[in-house]
Structures are given as C-alpha cells and as structure tokens.
Amino acid sequence: MAGRTTPHRYGSRPTMKDVAARAGVGLKTVSRVVNGEPGVTSDTEHRVQEAITALGFRRNDSARILRKGRTASVGLVLEDLADPFYGPLSRAVEEVARDHGALLINGSSAEDPVREQELVLALCARRVDGLVVIPAGEDHRYLAPEIAAGVATVFVDRPAGRLDADAVLSDSFGGARDAVAHLISHGHRRIGFLGDQPGIHTAAERLRGYHAAMDAAGLPVHDGWLSLGPTDPERVRGAAAAMLDAAEPVTALFAGNNRVTVTVVRVLAERPRPAAPVALVGFDDFELADLLSPGISVVAQDAAQLGRTAADLLFRRLDGASGEPRRVVLPTRLIARGSGELPPSLS
C-alpha cells in the first residue's frame, strides 16, 4: 500500500548494518560517511545519506566515548527544580557547557541527601566528565573516589560537606548583615528573622549576618525573634504570627529566602492594617516583587553569575587547571523598593 511504513519496535534502533544493506554498500563505507572520513565517492555518500535519513539512523557514540575517555557531558544536580532561583543558574551552566561542545544532564535532589547521592553516583556511572552540584546533604565524602578518578566537581550556593572541593557561593553573611543594618538605619530595634533549616550553610550564614548587624548596633536579640526551620508556608505563617502578636511585637522582619519572603508577604497582606506597617527585607529577589505596594526590598544574588562562574571553573578543571580547591564568593546587592524603608511605630 502506498505510503505504508515498516513498523518499528521501540528500543530497537537502526544500525550501520541496516544502513549498509539499504544503500548497497559495505559497513566500512557507512562508517566513513558517518564519521566524515575521506575515500567515498559523492554518489556513494549520497546513497548512504539517503539511507540514513530513511531509516532515522543516529550514530552511537558509546564506543567513541570509551576510546576518548570523555563523554562531552556534564551533570547538574539541583536542589529543587520548582524553585525559580535555579532557573537562571541552570540556564547559565547550560550555555557554558554548550560553548564547550558538551551536553548538560540535570536532575533534582528534592532536598533529600539520599536522593542527591543516588543521582550524583548515577551520573558518574554514566561517565559524565564533570559535575555541578547544589548540595542537599552535609557529607560528600562519597564523591572523593569519583573526584580522584577524574570527575571534575564544583559545588554551588553551598560548599561540600566534609570534602575539600571547588565551591562558588554568594555572600550570604554579608548580604544578611546589610539587610538587617538597613532596617536598623530606618529606626527598627525589634527585628525578627525567619530562615531556612539551620543545618543548611546559607541559612546559618544569614543567621550569622543577622546577629552581626544586631551586635554592631548594640541591640539585644530575643529568642522569640528567631525562627529557623522548613520553608513550608504553614511553618512560616505560624512563626511570623508569633513574632507579630507578641507582647512586644517585632516592627520589622528579615526573610531568609524567596520562599519565606513570599509567605511573609501573604501573611502581612491578610492581617488588619496596622497604624505602622511592618517593614520587610527578603533574601533573594522574586518575580513581581517590584510591582507590589510597597515594592519588596531584597538582597539580590545573581543566580546566573553563580552558574556561569561555577561552569567556567568546571571546564577550566577539565582543561587541566590544577591547584588547591577554590572557594569563590560573589557579592550580593541590596535593592530598596519601599518595604524595607518603612519606619517603626513611635510607641
């Protein structure tokens, strides 16, 4: 019947033998055409190319990979694919990989250390040349044999745990200190901090920055002004409410990441409008933060620059750069949009 195609069995791909049979040539001829080698007439090359197109043949690079020892691929292990912070970071890593002729394979640990290790080792088993890892766990010694075997590895956003390795970080300590100092400069003395889980490097650094700013201003910190834990909305809502409804409520809040900030914005919007609105500064910018009224003041980190710097460092290692593991710390930027500049009540 005209137009009828031969049914394919999924998982069974056409081989060079199939191409050779269809084109009526030898296997070596097909190999020469596929690999761009000389010694084939233009007419024969044309027949082989027609057979390749008709069959949907794709070259299997497995044998070439084994000969070269390089796969021209790198792995990216993210913490949470749903977090908008990782979008520009991932894109930047992909662009650098593409510039080096490498394929990027990414996956998410879902903030689970066990899943992170499984994913990382699965990528290593598939012979990726290098890894960019946003760590979920606190012990990365499982990677030591892979690094010793030549798998270049760079950690991003947080350093590796119990392992010396390259790391590219934002200045979480400095950014948090600047945010709290900014609130203090606008008259606030009772400032609450809502952060991520304390075992996470960035959360601990931002807490340290909070304390540094309060200490520098000679201000006390009460236990009720601090809450670190999971960033799920219910936990954050309860903690924010406790700070705002205390006998001596906080007049300002510093939110430790974009997910916490969004929940705090919702909490403040749902509460009766106070005589003096609560000031707010968040760590990480987020979409539409500038369109709210007032706009949300944030400490912004450049996620794309984090990814680009990490990927550049990775490929320098793959190109033979040696030396001790490096730790690169990128600066943050305070963006004042209104919410962090609200003055406290005079009472």
Side-chain angles (χ1 to χ4, degrees):
M1 181 182 295
R4 183 173 179 176
T5 59
T6 303
H8 291 285
R9 180 168 60 86
Y10 291 110
S12 177
R13 298 181 179 182
T15 66
M16 284 202 291
K17 284 185 177 180
D18 297 324
V19 174
R22 185 178 181 99
V25 298
L27 193 59
K28 182 61 177 177
T29 300
V30 176
S31 176
R32 285 175 176 154
V33 173
V34 167
N35 293 299
E37 297 173 0
V40 181
T41 66
S42 58
D43 179 63
T44 300
E45 181 178 359
H46 181 70
R47 293 208 319 274
V48 171
Q49 291 290 1
E50 281 189 334
I52 287 172
T53 300
L55 293 172
F57 170 80
R58 294 291 181 271
R59 182 176 67 184
N60 184 343
D61 284 341
S62 298
R64 297 175 71 248
I65 287 169
L66 290 173
R67 289 198 303 270
K68 294 170 64 180
R70 291 279 292 270
T71 63
S73 63
V74 295
L76 171 61
V77 178
L78 300 167
E79 181 198 36
D80 182 1
L81 288 171
D83 189 331
F85 173 77
Y86 294 120
L89 188 155
S90 176
R91 177 67 179 271
V93 174
E94 183 178 25
E95 288 177 350
V96 174
R98 183 178 179 183
D99 289 344
H100 286 81
L103 175 70
L104 180 69
I105 306 169
N106 62 30
S108 170
S109 68
E111 304 181 61
D112 180 349
V114 174
R115 180 166 166 175
E116 173 208 291
Q117 181 173 342
E118 291 174 348
L119 178 57
V120 166
L121 293 180
L123 288 168
C124 291
R126 283 159 177 75
R127 299 177 61 85
V128 294
D129 301 312
L131 292 164
V132 176
V133 181
I134 293 94
E138 298 177 32
D139 188 347
H140 293 91
R141 288 176 295 176
Y142 70 85
L143 254 173
E146 307 298 337
I147 294 173
V151 180
T153 305
V154 180
F155 288 81
V156 185
D157 191 41
R158 308 164 187 171
R162 308 180 73 179
L163 177 75
D164 289 330
D166 290 325
V168 179
L169 317 173
S170 288
D171 185 6
S172 286
F173 167 78
R177 181 193 56 204
D178 293 346
V180 177
H182 185 72
L183 290 167
I184 293 169
S185 73
H186 284 82
H188 294 278
R189 300 295 178 264
R190 301 196 301 270
I191 302 169
F193 174 57
L194 292 155
D196 207 333
Q197 302 189 71
I200 296 174
H201 173 81
T202 49
E205 284 294 283
R206 291 166 198 176
L207 176 62
R208 194 166 69 87
Y210 167 91
H211 278 295
M214 297 293 277
D215 289 346
L219 297 175
V221 175
H222 298 295
D223 289 343
W225 299 353
L226 300 175
S227 179
L228 283 80
T231 58
D232 62 271
E234 287 310 306
R235 201 282 301 181
V236 175
R237 280 179 176 276
M243 294 181 191
L244 297 171
D245 295 334
E248 283 192 305
V250 298
T251 64
L253 291 168
F254 171 48
N257 65 31
N258 55 1
R259 287 167 287 186
V260 174
T261 306
V262 169
T263 299
V264 171
V265 169
R266 293 182 185 277
V267 169
L268 295 177
E270 293 166 0
R271 296 174 70 85
R273 187 172 297 275
V278 176
L280 170 65
V281 177
F283 204 110
D284 293 335
D285 206 354
F286 62 96
E287 192 173 8
L288 305 182
D290 57 328
L291 298 182
L292 297 173
S293 183
I296 306 303
S297 299
V298 298
V299 174
Q301 51 180 333
D302 191 335
Q305 186 61 30
L306 276 171
R308 192 175 305 113
T309 303
D312 284 339
L313 178 54
L314 181 77
F315 280 97
R316 283 201 297 273
R317 293 297 194 191
L318 288 172
D319 289 339
S322 59
E324 294 298 312
R326 294 185 57 197
R327 177 174 291 204
V328 180
V329 180
L330 302 180
T332 58
R333 181 168 58 102
L334 180 66
I335 304 175
R337 295 190 177 120
S339 70
E341 295 69 56
L342 297 171
S345 170
L346 297 177
S347 59

